[in-house]
Amino acid sequence: MKEMKPAFEHKEVEKGKVDFWLENHYFEANLKENQDKPPFSMIIPPPNVTGKLHLGHALDTTIIDIICRYKKLNGYDVLFLPAMDHAGIATQAKVEEKLAKEGKNKYEMGRDAFLSEAWKWKDEYASHIRKQWHALGLSMDYTKERFTLDEKMNKVVTLVFKTLYDKGLIYRGERIINWDPVLKTALSDVEVIYQEDKGKFYYFKYWLEDKKEYLTVATTRPETMFGDQAVVINSKDKRYLKYIGKKVINPANNQLLEIIADDYVDPSFGTGVMKCTPASDPNDFEIAKRHNLKMVKIMNEDASLNENCPSKYVGLDRFKARDQLVEDIKDNGNLIKIEEILHNVGHSERSHSVVEPMLSKQWFVKMSVLAKEVMKIQKSKNKTTFFPSRFSKIFYQWLEKTNDWCISRQLWWGHQIPVYTNKKTGKVVCSLTPLDKEKYEQDSDVLDTWFSSALAPFAFLNWPDKNSQLYKRFFPLSLMSTGYDIIFFWVERMAIDGVEFNSVMPFKEVAIHGLVRDEKGRKMSKTLGNGIDPFQVIDEYGCDVLRYSLSTYGTPGLDINYSTNKIKDSRNFLNKIWNASRYIIGIINNNKPVSATKLSFFDKWIISRFNDTLSNIKKNMNKYELGQAASYLYKFIYDEFCSQYLEYTKVSLQSENKEIVESAKYTLYTILKDVLLILFPFAPFICEEIYSYLPDEKKSIYEESYPTPIKISASKNDVELALSVSDAIKEIRNFKSTNLLSPNAPISLNIEASEKVYSQIFPYIQRFSFADKIIRLDKIDAKHFVVLPCFKLEMISSDTSKLEERKKKTIENLNNEISKCENLLSNKGFLAKAPKQKIEEEKAKYAKLKEELNSYLK
RNA sequence: GGGUUUAUAGCUCAGCUGGUUAGAGCGUUACCUUCACACGGUAGAGGUCAGCAGUUCGAUCCUGCUUAAACCCACCA
């Protein structure tokens, strides 16, 4: 028989475990032998194939893995499906970056050659990610891995696109979109991050034609003045009414602009006079539509100025052009002032460049129509439940006001839009299959990455094949677990497509978690250098420690401040379990105890504590309150099982009565095994390892099922006796400590108890008090003693001052409590209105306190 | 402007639909190299539950306001 090491050594424990689980198909769903089990399904939020997984991924996947393992132990046929996301923009940017280092350029290479480079990249990173999944101990069904850009997915995407297109829910239109001038693509609204930037507010003179008067117009983006088509005032703004219909000179290019009235303008903002640049601002665009203004684009794809601007500026970058123009206007005497301001500026989520609102022809999904269906379901009893519930509101409110979704991207890496234009006739066709390249030209754009990941809950289960085993058995998903940061990106869109194509929400429940931050609550970032690499934690402390520390120190929906402190705490805890197990396994000595005919009161006490703990843990696991569940487990294992029970069994194990010894062994063994099963979802490696040392058990802890309450009832007397002994030992230790006596200093004790009680408690008191003399009395006749539920204890000492203090304090506390009770019980309102049970409890408490106090005063 | 969250021990956080002597870990003090564990043990110290009102027999918990912090959405040129 192999021996357990004296400390938990993670590398040795983890070695070969994942392979062992894989070989035995423990991660696989939908196996024949599990067909009669109820299904439970989740998918991983597919990580981007752009690089290493970070701590956020580790948190996300650990939570899901814990839930899946828990469900599996509880008799479910669990599908935990792995997948990766092609991450259009992000991956293309990385591949381009890599090519640039090699001196290559995508335009020179051409689309096909570039895509083959991208696929190489994908293959490389996908294999990295798979290794990392294993390192994280994720029990996903690796035989069912999916990728958002594989061929099967392309068919689904095309079908979904065409269906929506035919229904008129996808359309092409020319509108102001968010343009990323670095990546040279359109972005959706959610891909734009607004942040408060320092900027300048420039005030210019717009002279009237007669050059006698001017209007003051302020702008933050002077370079857009080349696209100005009008100057706008509010029709109720008396200051400017007289100018309506007149013309002013654009100081940027000397063109005449008509002064028009539109109620969009806020008279109280700035000067109340606004310039209108229809092709560079969404609000100006709307005004222009109302007034039939021309829409002149003034920028190229890279946000340099185009030929619609004076030749001096053509080709200049927007910010250089801005400075140049301001200089030039200043030289002409038309600059009034420049104000420093803080304003919200949109940045690209990927390139971080300043987003340029720009007129552009793009593809859109009509969200309002689709969102309504989801809202309808969310108001019905078929709604998806959110944990914590407040996210349901956030989810719903977004649906209420979401704008159309810009889904086309000017990239190559992604699902190409299945729309073709007849080269001769110009007729536009959406087709499920590619059309003849001679006759048709396919739209060169690809779809937003989220367009495909939105289909994941059903597409990954082989939809549209509705007869597919996976789809039939596992859709809708039982639970979706993800961070609150991608509710809008992903959860909303999954709901929208899920409902449109399946008529039900694609997941029954959603559990939202927070983000991982550093110990001071700051975001982890490269620039701050405060990031923690999960794989370094695994290397140093082990996967179980990472998993335990990530999943148990947080509250659902709130951010977790992660620190080495938490890592070490987790390591210490797991080491504690390791050692307790080592101790128990040593006692068991390869003979599985089977009978419990003579349980001691401590055995019964720990069993009742275990049953309570189990019930609390289950309650919280079922609400996905992992931290809460783990804290019940921690308290039980550390304080009750290890610190107390394990110590107390040292008495019963030495008994000459074999039944008593066997019963203690039985209790130790049974609880150890059950505790391992409860801990297993959190820390699978160490639990599987310890389990392998248990005699006569199954091949793997994976073949066990979740613990049920241990069917041995403890009476109130057993529990009180256990608590009395615990308290007595604590009192003695406290006495020694406060008197600066060493813990094993001899002491003489008198105990007032019945013969029966005394015989039960004596061996415990003796062993843990190191008493050299204990005498049982019918009545303690001393000044200083301690009152316990089952007996009284007198510590004999030459210096009783500390005992006196202690007793005084105890009596004081009792008196405080008693007066609280008295106040409550004499309160007429309380007696009239409080629930009867509460009143009874309070009376009982009062009686007990009073009795205890009397015992001291007698 | 709209919305959400947070405020509990020196630090990081629990407190499970209102009644507890308000808890844990780290840190800290004293003691212990006791035969599972120094990645340990024992015993302590440490809290006006941000503030003010209200509801209630009773509020850390519910409501309102105030203060402080974080986040999300929308956005004014």
Side-chain angles (χ1 to χ4, degrees), chain A residues 732 736 743-747 765-773:
Chain A
I732 295 163
K736 288 185 182 177
N744 55 0
I747 187 169
I765 301 284
Q766 188 188 42
R767 180 179 175 111
F768 295 102
S769 69
F770 297 89
D772 55 356
K773 192 176 166 198

Side-chain angles (χ1 to χ4, degrees), chain A residues 37 52 87 92 96 110 237 282 383 395 408 451 458 487 489 517 527 559 612 659 680 702 726 763 768 800 830 832 844:
Chain A
K37 293 181 176 176
K52 280 184 93 173
Q92 173 149 344
E96 279 184 46
D237 192 340
K383 69 169 181 242
F395 175 83
S408 44
F451 189 90
F458 50 102
I487 292 175
F489 283 101
R517 294 168 175 278
T527 40
D559 292 348
D612 285 354
E659 278 181 83
F680 175 61
Y702 238 112
S726 287
F768 295 102
T800 56
F830 176 76

Side-chain angles (χ1 to χ4, degrees), chain A residues 341-440:
Chain A
I341 55 160
L342 274 178
H343 62 154
N344 270 336
V345 178
H347 294 256
S348 162
E349 190 216 5
R350 285 294 156 195
S351 72
H352 306 293
S353 60
V354 174
V355 163
E356 191 67 31
M358 212 187 254
L359 188 64
S360 179
K361 204 171 193 182
Q362 302 287 345
W363 289 93
F364 297 90
V365 176
K366 251 185 212 169
M367 295 297 269
S368 53
V369 181
L370 295 165
K372 265 187 196 137
E373 294 304 311
V374 179
M375 290 191 276
K376 216 189 275 174
I377 292 186
Q378 281 307 87
K379 276 188 180 160
S380 77
K381 63 172 193 267
N382 298 322
K383 69 169 181 242
T384 292
T385 315
F386 283 74
F387 299 88
S389 60
R390 66 171 181 276
F391 289 104
S392 166
K393 205 169 152 190
I394 291 169
F395 175 83
Y396 193 89
Q397 284 172 349
W398 187 85
L399 292 169
E400 280 179 316
K401 56 180 177 186
T402 182
N403 291 320
D404 285 359
W405 174 17
C406 174
I407 50 170
S408 44
R409 297 289 178 276
Q410 287 63 56
L411 307 170
W412 289 347
W413 178 244
H415 295 283
Q416 199 169 344
I417 291 177
V419 173
Y420 305 80
T421 309
N422 188 307
K423 287 179 184 169
K424 271 187 196 162
T425 64
K427 199 184 164 203
V428 175
V429 189
C430 179
S431 168
L432 291 178
T433 48
L435 298 182
D436 184 359
K437 279 190 181 168
E438 296 294 310
K439 290 183 189 160
Y440 289 92

Side-chain angles (χ1 to χ4, degrees), chain A residues 11-45:
Chain A
K11 284 193 177 163
E12 219 160 298
V13 165
E14 283 168 26
K15 207 171 161 189
K17 290 266 186 313
V18 171
D19 289 335
F20 169 67
W21 289 327
L22 286 172
E23 279 159 24
N24 287 286
H25 310 283
Y26 292 138
F27 296 167
E28 288 171 39
N30 209 30
L31 296 173
K32 262 185 199 159
E33 62 263 35
N34 292 332
Q35 290 303 315
D36 55 335
K37 293 181 176 176
F40 182 87
S41 52
M42 294 187 77
I43 60 175
I44 191 174

Side-chain angles (χ1 to χ4, degrees), chain A residues 457-458 463 466 471 475 497-506:
Chain A
F458 50 102
W463 185 91
K466 291 199 176 180
Y471 183 82
F475 186 86
D497 283 327
V499 168
E500 174 66 16
F501 290 94
N502 306 276
S503 309
V504 290
M505 286 288 276

Side-chain angles (χ1 to χ4, degrees), chain A residues 18 475 526 602 609 723 765:
Chain A
V18 171
F475 186 86
K526 279 181 191 157
F602 270 123
R609 292 302 310 131
L723 294 176
I765 301 284

Side-chain angles (χ1 to χ4, degrees), chain A residues 707-722:
Chain A
T708 49
I710 300 171
K711 285 183 194 135
I712 290 160
S713 57
S715 72
K716 199 183 158 200
N717 285 343
D718 295 321
V719 173
E720 283 205 332
L721 208 49

